[in-house]
Amino acid sequence: MTACAIESSADPGNGGAPRAGCSITAAGAYAARLARSGQDGDSWYPERWTLDGPEPYAVPLPGNQPEEAGTEVQPMGDGRVLVHRVAAGRHVFALLYPTGPGTGELPLGAVECPPDTTGLRLLPPAPGGERAYALAAGPRSTVLWQVVGGAFGPERVVEIPGRCSGGVWLDRTGRMLAVDRETGGRTKAVVVDLERGGEVSPLLQIAADSDDRLLLADPDSGLVLIGSDAPSPGRERLGWGVLGSTLPVRFPECLRMPDCVVTPFAIQPGQVLTPERCAVALRVDGAFGSWVGVWRPAERQVRHLPAPEGWLTGAGLWTPEGELRLPCSTPQSPCGVARLAVPDAGGGRTEGANDAGATGDPVDAVNSVDPADSAHTGESADTGESAPDASDGPGATESSTRASTPARPCPVPLQQAPLARLVTK
């Protein structure tokens, strides 16, 4: 197989991950996308999908003029659709809603970014569906904006030192937001507390000289998917951990697909006590197209499934019962949902976050400690060799003490421990 040749555009504000075909609310009731119109399909209009009824259905929301191809759309919890347009260098926001045969539009205001700002993009839909946020990244700092739910249009929440990307919600109240912050040439995930004026605190650091991004999180189980080059310097690997666990981050060998881009896009909810049993949906982009991967931390393999026809690539959600639902659109069925039942292959626990004696090769993550307290073995992840165990060192003691006495409600950091065996087979 040759190197990937991916036609779908990547989102530079989201760590370069491929853009999804639509956006889905945190509760899974609505989705929104830009749909093509016209005989040649050369113009665009927003479209809202309702997903929580007996059958999915779509409502077109065309405005007075066609949308640009780069216009962002996002569903709100009440069924309205947020639209983000760029006009004359200004970022303009409005809410769209159906009004009989036409489309109603509620202007929200605009944000004007400094010339050195590389762009402004919407963050993933916030839990609750009443608010929406956007990041405006500049060369030295990033501004977090609340663009829906404020009293007087878009409101500036906080300016974060460093260049931020990504965006993952860590709770179901919309309080804790994780972003990936680049400072000093390194990227580390941090937490923004929206109820404390946007207070920023560290979340994830695997090694002082590694780039560590948070890709996805499940508030129920605490399962997180991480991208880091700690096990293979210069090459990002997919790993997993559990917020609040004393066990380290693991980088399964089965998630390493050198000729493909692998992007996690959905985690099975409701698995409060068994994060290792959570099913994770992966978008896999390779030289021959895109398909779906399904993986669980307790399993040592990825199940590769053909993408359903018309899949809005990279979009989908899990039910607590383990059914993967993928929105699809074809000429014959413009609004549909493919339902994939993926049973748990393991009859018992084989390897997971709650197994004190689980086998596997971990890399340990650290938060809220000085980077100098971390050690990096410098060994290649392909060797599977172990580094000396330093779990009783002063760095680990300091992290444990800080984690046990939180100053406010916040996600418990990933526990500090030494870099040890790097790859889970």
Side-chain angles (χ1 to χ4, degrees), residues 265-345:
F265 65 88
I267 300 179
Q268 180 184 0
Q271 314 303 302
V272 177
L273 300 178
T274 55
E276 72 277 4
R277 291 293 176 194
C278 288
V280 179
L282 308 169
R283 167 182 177 171
V284 186
D285 293 283
F288 302 104
S290 302
W291 62 93
V292 180
V294 175
W295 167 83
R296 289 180 173 87
E299 299 177 0
R300 294 174 179 263
Q301 63 178 347
V302 175
R303 305 185 196 188
H304 295 273
L305 308 173
E309 183 181 2
W311 179 35
L312 302 183
T313 312
L317 56 90
W318 287 99
T319 66
E321 295 74 31
E323 182 180 73
L324 178 60
R325 298 180 178 178
L326 305 175
C328 305
S329 179
T330 65
Q332 297 75 27
S333 179
C335 178
V337 174
R339 303 170 185 266
L340 306 179
V342 185
D344 189 342

Side-chain angles (χ1 to χ4, degrees), residues 200-298:
V200 179
S201 58
L203 174 67
L204 173 66
Q205 177 175 288
I206 296 179
D209 57 351
S210 62
D211 292 319
D212 310 313
R213 300 187 300 122
L214 189 65
L215 306 178
L216 206 59
D218 173 54
D220 294 336
S221 63
L223 177 66
V224 293
L225 275 295
I226 291 164
S228 174
D229 63 355
S232 303
R235 293 180 296 156
E236 184 174 272
R237 294 279 303 275
L238 279 181
W240 68 280
V242 180
L243 289 173
S245 172
T246 58
L247 291 182
V249 173
R250 298 171 185 271
F251 291 84
E253 181 69 17
C254 64
L255 294 181
R256 187 173 69 153
M257 305 178 200
D259 294 332
C260 297
V261 176
V262 183
T263 308
F265 65 88
I267 300 179
Q268 180 184 0
Q271 314 303 302
V272 177
L273 300 178
T274 55
E276 72 277 4
R277 291 293 176 194
C278 288
V280 179
L282 308 169
R283 167 182 177 171
V284 186
D285 293 283
F288 302 104
S290 302
W291 62 93
V292 180
V294 175
W295 167 83
R296 289 180 173 87

Side-chain angles (χ1 to χ4, degrees), residues 32 132 322 350:
T350 58

